[in-house]
Amino acid sequence: MAPMGIRLSPLGVAVFCLLGLGVLYHLYSGFLAGRFSLFGLGGEPGGGAAAGSAAAADGGTVDLREMLAVSVLAAVRGGDEVRRVRESNVLHEKSKGKTREGAEDKMTSGDVLSNRKMFYLLKTAFPNVQINTEEHVDAADQEVIIWDRKIPEDILKEIATPKEVPAESVTVWIDPLDATQEYTEDLRKYVTTMVCVAVNGKPVLGVIHKPFSEYTAWAMVDGGSNVKARTSYNERTPRIVVSRSHSGMVKQVALQTFGNQTTIIPAGGAGYKVLALLDVPDKSQEKADLYIHVTYIKKWDICAGNAILKALGGHMTTLSGEEISYTGSDGIEGGLLASIRMNHQALVRKLPDLEKTGHK
């Protein structure tokens, strides 16, 4: 018997084809919708958290914890250059002109080489932030100094999580060699290298490094620090640390304000003077209760110390008690008063004559 044939209805074939096309359309339209929704949100399929992080980086944020790690490294690297040049005894000393007080404003190879290391390390790590530095940066001397992206354990212990801020809000202040005059006189204990990070003009990170004793103090406001205040301070008859260049000017008013038992400590370098207020394990570091400055001063000299004091609950203001903004001009006219664990505004009120002196 011949085999039976299978006959298909034309209507059935048409219905089957239409159903198949419907299923394919449904699946493909869902895929396209997913694609468009991803692109609409600025993402890529399969990108996940990595894509989001890349977008954040492109948007210009920086992690203050990372900035602290690089700032410490920059201060140490700069300090290595400062120490190497001083020990070679070939300073190539020259004058940049006169200060407002008429003293020579000196510069050495230590300043220049330290500045180069510090500036390019920070600039390579954070190319989108503004960096202000005391010394001129020559593009012909550019170095590419790579940070290994490792955050030291002592920083991780104090600051457990990242702290991101917009890069455009950040200003970095570098002092590649504080106390250059004392450096040329081989008074090594006064010499420091410093880095400060300000956010919207407010000092939030400070690093002060002493190249010749290899001690480094750092702090982050609302973060942590590796340095602390001393247990006690003398507010009635304080020891006052002042600039070597005008100690007599401060002494006269300080004795009138606090009495004849007041001790004046002449010292070089703003970084050294701030450390004098703190509990520093360095035998060469003198101790003071107040830091007073009565003439014009540059912001890269004081920003790091201001950040450290602020992080520890202390204060640094003009002599009239105004907060110092670390944007705009390079210096301040109103002198400064720095204290910790004291009634700072009460101290400001005690120094009206000194405030007037600072504006001369």
Side-chain angles (χ1 to χ4, degrees):
M1 181 183 290
M4 296 179 60
I6 299 174
R7 298 183 63 185
L8 298 176
S9 165
L11 179 59
V13 171
V15 170
F16 181 82
C17 289
L18 286 172
L19 288 171
L21 287 172
V23 171
L24 290 173
Y25 174 79
H26 177 75
L27 292 172
Y28 191 62
S29 64
F31 173 74
L32 286 176
R35 294 284 295 188
F36 286 130
S37 67
L38 279 168
F39 288 123
L41 293 170
E44 283 286 344
S53 297
D58 291 342
T61 62
V62 293
D63 177 11
L64 290 177
R65 189 174 61 167
E66 290 187 345
M67 291 207 77
L68 176 58
V70 178
S71 297
V72 169
L73 182 59
V76 172
R77 292 275 183 89
D80 291 343
E81 295 298 310
V82 168
R83 188 174 60 253
R84 182 178 62 80
V85 170
R86 180 62 266 184
E87 290 175 351
S88 75
N89 212 31
V90 182
L91 305 186
H92 298 292
E93 178 185 336
K94 61 181 181 180
S95 175
K96 295 186 289 185
K98 297 282 188 180
T99 67
R100 294 192 179 191
E101 292 77 39
E104 292 290 339
D105 189 6
K106 294 183 178 181
M107 182 176 69
T108 68
S109 294
D111 297 83
V112 174
L113 296 174
S114 172
N115 188 67
R116 187 185 303 171
K117 292 289 185 185
M118 294 175 71
F119 178 86
Y120 284 115
L121 176 55
L122 283 155
K123 196 63 178 175
T124 303
F126 302 102
N128 296 325
V129 304
Q130 178 181 338
I131 301 177
N132 295 338
T133 179
E134 182 173 12
E135 305 302 339
H136 174 71
V137 180
D138 193 339
D141 296 326
Q142 182 172 351
E143 296 186 31
V144 178
I145 305 173
I146 304 300
W147 175 46
D148 62 9
R149 306 202 67 80
K150 292 181 179 178
I151 300 177
E153 286 298 323
D154 61 335
I155 293 177
L156 290 174
K157 182 179 178 181
E158 292 287 331
I159 309 166
T161 58
K163 295 179 181 289
E164 292 195 351
V165 297
E168 64 182 9
S169 69
V170 172
T171 306
V172 179
W173 296 85
I174 296 175
D175 193 339
L177 200 169
D178 190 34
T180 299
Q181 175 64 45
E182 287 73 20
Y183 183 67
T184 63
E185 298 173 26
D186 207 16
L187 298 174
R188 303 183 181 196
K189 71 176 184 179
Y190 297 122
V191 175
T192 63
T193 58
M194 297 188 286
V195 182
C196 177
V197 175
V199 177
N200 295 321
K202 297 179 179 179
V204 297
L205 297 181
V207 179
I208 302 177
H209 175 67
K210 300 184 77 173
F212 296 102
S213 62
E214 300 188 39
Y215 170 75
T216 307
W218 58 259
M220 176 192 290
V221 175
D222 297 326
S225 69
N226 73 338
V227 63
K228 59 185 179 180
R230 300 200 309 272
T231 55
S232 64
Y233 293 84
N234 188 339
E235 195 165 347
R236 295 189 63 184
T237 54
R239 292 166 295 177
I240 303 175
V241 64
V242 302
S243 173
R244 292 172 72 224
S245 62
H246 54 259
S247 61
M249 186 188 305
V250 180
K251 184 175 182 178
Q252 180 180 356
V253 178
L255 291 177
Q256 292 173 357
T257 304
F258 297 105
N260 292 331
Q261 299 303 312
T262 301
T263 301
I264 301 297
I265 304 171
Y272 179 89
K273 297 185 189 81
V274 168
L275 292 180
L277 305 183
L278 304 176
D279 185 11
V280 174
D282 184 340
K283 293 180 180 179
S284 67
Q285 180 68 57
E286 294 167 283
K287 304 295 184 184
D289 301 303
L290 292 176
Y291 167 25
I292 296 176
H293 188 86
V294 298
T295 59
Y296 177 83
I297 193 167
K298 295 293 184 70
K299 291 179 180 177
W300 42 66
D301 289 325
I302 60 174
C303 186
N306 196 341
I308 291 174
L309 286 173
K310 187 175 180 180
L312 299 176
H315 302 274
M316 180 183 287
T317 66
T318 65
L319 293 172
S320 58
E322 298 170 355
E323 296 293 332
I324 300 164
S325 174
Y326 292 92
T327 56
S329 65
D330 290 343
I332 62 166
E333 300 282 354
L336 68 86
L337 172 66
S339 71
I340 187 167
R341 293 191 175 177
M342 291 190 184
N343 186 333
H344 190 82
Q345 288 304 317
L347 292 169
V348 169
R349 291 190 294 270
K350 279 187 176 182
L351 299 171
D353 293 334
L354 193 56
E355 191 274 334
K356 292 174 186 176
T357 302
H359 287 278
K360 282 184 177 179

